[in-house]
Amino acid sequence: MRAVRMTSPGVLEQVEVPTPTPAAGEVLLAVGAVGACHSDLHILDAPPGLFPTPITLGHETAGTVEAVGAGVTGWTPGDRAAVYGIVGCGTCRGCLRGAENQCRRMPPGGIGLSRDGGLADYVAVPARNLLHVGDLDLTQAAPLTDAGLTPYHAVELARPALRPGTFCVVIGIGGLGHMAVQILTATTAVRIIAVDTSVAALDLATRMGAHHVVQAGPEAVERIREIVGPAPDGADVVIDCVGVDATLTTARTVVATGGKLLLVGLGGGTLPVHPVADAPPTLPLETSVEIPFWGTRAELQEVIALGRAGLISADVQTFPLERAPEAYDLLRRGDIHGRAVVTP
Ligand code: NAD
Ligand code: ZN
Ligand code: ZN
């Protein structure tokens, strides 16, 4: 079968590999759609040794059951499914609580991270990682598993602070951010302020329900302040889907006293935290900072429910498998709006 693999650190190419045989407890899925996540670029850029090679990338997968391994019940060929990407150890405190995204033994274990992912004709996954998607289009189902799930989990963490009429700033309106705006619209009554460098991304944010858009840059903080009011008031919640120094500075500058900062983006920036008595603090008092990772299986089921109800939908640009490397090049250049989805 065809697979798009990181054959050695930083090298992405399409190769021929044997079609996997599902082991006991696994299902072989004919891949229908797989989203191209910015994290794949971070994986490609990571220092050698952090991720195994060769590995088939793609951690945002949906497909049709082709075959089932020994002992699998509840799935039959032809069933359509979305893949929950995290494979936890199953026995640590995080996993036992149902939060495999907090697995303490094997982070970041996952399909397309520590074992072969969905950028291929077929992928073998543990049966327990599959969720039914009903009649949802697979190009819609795939992005829900990460671009949908990760901001949904972030919103869940922040939900007590997302009171009607308060402000939530979403920074970075790409694959994750444009879903974050829709999730906030569908599940809260907050005022959404979308921030991005790209005008096209801001247009997308408006279409997805953002109440205000602010172009990132030197005047962004001032523009956001005009909306949320002067410090120490501000946005009750800031979701940073970029995570570089510039966005972290904006985030900590506009968050309200007692607000919540959710650092979703893995851009490599630094958030200074040093409360001092004789200088302005780097973060307002009582502010909490959380670093959400992906989400739980139960949350994915809720995200799929939102998708099936038509309350959220990814703005998708599709590419055949042989154009997957090009899709990642476009993503790196900032030329993908919404989510690029590869359809093997
Ligand atoms: P994307 O490339 O689709 O979107 C990024 C968006 O950020 C683009 O619209 C871009 O224009 C905008 N942007 C870039 N620099 C900016 C800046 N300085 N100010 C404002 N906007 C800026 O990426 P994505 O797939 O949505 O992923 C976003 C980030 O989230 C990545 O770092 C990714 O690795 C990370 N991520 C984290 C998790 C997690 O579990 N924490 C899960 C998935 C992705
Ligand atoms: Zn991802
Ligand atoms: Zn675990």
Side-chain angles (χ1 to χ4, degrees):
M1 67 167 190
R2 303 168 304 161
V4 173
R5 313 195 95 192
M6 179 165 75
T7 48
S8 59
V11 180
L12 186 70
E13 54 188 341
Q14 188 183 318
V15 294
E16 282 291 316
V17 294
T19 301
T21 307
E26 288 186 351
V27 166
L28 183 69
L29 212 58
V31 178
V34 53
C37 178
H38 205 110
S39 296
D40 292 321
L41 300 178
H42 298 319
I43 293 171
L44 284 162
D45 295 343
L50 209 56
F51 295 93
T53 52
I55 184 171
T56 304
L57 293 185
H59 56 263
E60 217 181 67
T61 307
T64 308
V65 174
E66 181 79 12
V68 300
V72 171
T73 54
W75 292 97
T76 46
D79 287 347
R80 302 162 76 262
V83 178
Y84 176 67
I86 299 177
V87 182
C89 73
T91 57
C92 74
R93 272 180 199 282
C95 287
L96 288 177
R97 280 199 303 249
E100 279 157 279
N101 56 333
Q102 290 176 17
C103 179
R104 299 178 182 194
R105 297 243 167 81
M106 43 189 299
I111 295 154
L113 302 177
S114 60
R115 55 181 279 166
D116 284 337
L119 274 174
D121 290 313
Y122 299 94
V123 62
V125 299
R128 65 187 300 271
N129 282 59
L130 295 185
L131 284 96
H132 289 281
V133 297
D135 54 6
L136 197 60
D137 195 285
L138 294 179
T139 60
Q140 278 298 320
L144 294 182
T145 65
D146 179 13
L149 174 58
T150 301
Y152 185 81
H153 175 60
V155 167
E156 279 297 288
L157 293 177
R159 197 167 295 283
L162 292 166
R163 313 306 303 167
T166 60
F167 290 102
C168 179
V169 175
V170 181
I171 306 176
I173 311 297
L176 270 62
H178 90 294
M179 298 304 286
V181 171
Q182 294 180 70
I183 289 161
L184 289 165
T185 305
T187 70
T188 75
V190 293
R191 307 290 296 170
I192 304 164
I193 304 171
V195 181
D196 203 293
T197 42
S198 146
V199 172
L202 294 178
D203 287 346
L204 179 61
T206 302
R207 275 186 276 129
M208 299 295 136
H211 302 92
H212 304 270
V213 295
V214 172
Q215 188 157 24
E219 270 127 56
V221 166
E222 206 181 309
R223 281 282 300 107
I224 297 168
R225 281 261 163 249
E226 284 165 16
I227 302 165
V228 300
D233 204 353
D236 281 78
V237 177
V238 180
I239 304 176
D240 183 350
C241 296
V242 183
V244 298
D245 282 341
T247 60
L248 293 172
T249 300
T250 301
R252 70 179 172 83
T253 311
V254 303
V255 70
T257 291
K260 282 184 187 293
L261 210 60
L262 292 124
L263 308 185
V264 173
L266 306 170
T270 302
L271 182 73
V273 181
H274 32 89
V276 286
D278 55 355
T282 55
L283 279 164
L285 296 170
E286 287 281 318
T287 301
S288 70
V289 178
E290 296 185 66
I291 308 170
F293 177 60
W294 226 330
T296 67
R297 191 185 309 267
E299 287 166 346
L300 179 54
Q301 195 172 49
E302 293 167 9
V303 172
I304 291 169
L306 286 174
R308 291 183 66 181
L311 291 168
I312 59 173
S313 70
D315 193 71
V316 160
Q317 192 179 341
T318 59
F319 294 81
L321 189 68
E322 49 280 7
R323 286 183 61 206
E326 180 193 335
Y328 283 105
D329 286 343
L330 292 168
L331 185 65
R332 198 185 279 282
R333 292 210 302 266
D335 287 336
I336 297 289
H337 302 296
R339 198 50 137 192
V341 172
V342 176
T343 53

